[in-house]
Amino acid sequence: DAKTTQPTSMDCAEGRAANLPCNHSTISGNEYVYWYRQIHSQGPQYIIHGLKNNETNEMASLIITEDRKSSTLILPHATLRDTAVYYCIVRVQESQGAQKLVFGQGTRLTINP
Amino acid sequence: NAGVMQNPRHLVRRRGQEARLRCSPMKGHSHVYWYRQLPEEGLKFMVYLQKENIIDESGMPKERFSAEFPKEGPSILRIQQVVRGDSAAYFCASSPPQTSGPRYFGAGTRLSVL
């Protein structure tokens, strides 16, 4: 699986858009980009994933560059409850076989009032 | 549809005792994953199971740890002869067939070894 690089920590003001970058320069053509987050002391929460097109759901938007070497997770209107560690993971999506996700250190996002 | 259920939420054991952690996946999910998170560290993959089969146990310690996911009932992560270093949060995740990777995580079991 390709390695990802994320900033260790970020701050964002409440109500503003939070933009979390992720570099994955060694990503291969069949690897997807996944984002999860972990709010303190809770289980990880799936946010979104994509291959090459930008994706949006009720939680966030995922912008993947054309060369797929980096991506950005966007929380459009951050709230205090979005304070968490955000993990960017790249993984081959298969219908069968071992499909573990390897979590790195992530970005600790702090939303400030 | 209830989420992934883990119990107990908190478990205290003395050194040398056994710990049994249970995970009930979401309805219709046949894939279960176990992860461990040591204090102030990241999530580490332990094992991936489908009903009655261990698919990938590359993250499981070679001794004292075992996991099962029987045809009926929850998945069980069993730790024999616990030591203080086993103190951690253990998370279970499940996903339906044809879905890549763990999608829904439980709230975790926090094991404390005295």
Side-chain angles (χ1 to χ4, degrees), chain B residues 11-13 19 21 79 82 86-90 109-113:
Chain B
L11 182 61
V12 180
R13 286 287 178 267
L21 289 64
I79 312 172
V82 295
D86 297 332
S87 296
Y90 292 82
T109 293
R110 276 148 189 84
L111 173 66
S112 297
V113 179

Side-chain angles (χ1 to χ4, degrees), chain B residues 26-75:
Chain B
M26 292 178 68
K27 186 177 181 180
H29 288 194
S30 55
H31 300 191
V32 165
Y33 308 77
W34 286 93
Y35 283 77
R36 177 167 66 173
Q37 189 169 34
L38 295 169
E40 304 303 322
E41 294 191 15
L43 291 146
K44 302 296 183 186
F45 168 79
M46 299 183 75
V47 62
Y48 163 45
L49 309 102
Q50 294 181 16
K51 283 285 188 181
E52 301 184 276
N53 289 304
I54 296 174
I55 306 302
D56 182 350
E57 56 181 347
S58 57
M60 287 280 272
K62 299 300 182 186
E63 298 178 347
R64 303 187 298 108
F65 285 71
S66 62
E68 62 177 8
F69 188 17
K71 186 177 181 180
E72 301 292 337
S75 175

Side-chain angles (χ1 to χ4, degrees), chain A residues 10-20 37 39 45 58-59 74-86 109-113:
Chain A
M10 292 182 61
D11 286 83
C12 180
E14 186 179 18
R16 304 295 295 270
N19 299 296
L20 291 91
R37 73 180 182 183
I39 297 171
Q45 179 185 24
E58 65 278 5
M59 289 183 66
I74 301 173
L75 308 177
H77 304 287
T79 71
L80 298 178
R81 289 176 292 182
D82 292 322
T83 293
V85 178
Y86 287 76
L109 175 67
T110 302
I111 306 301
N112 299 308

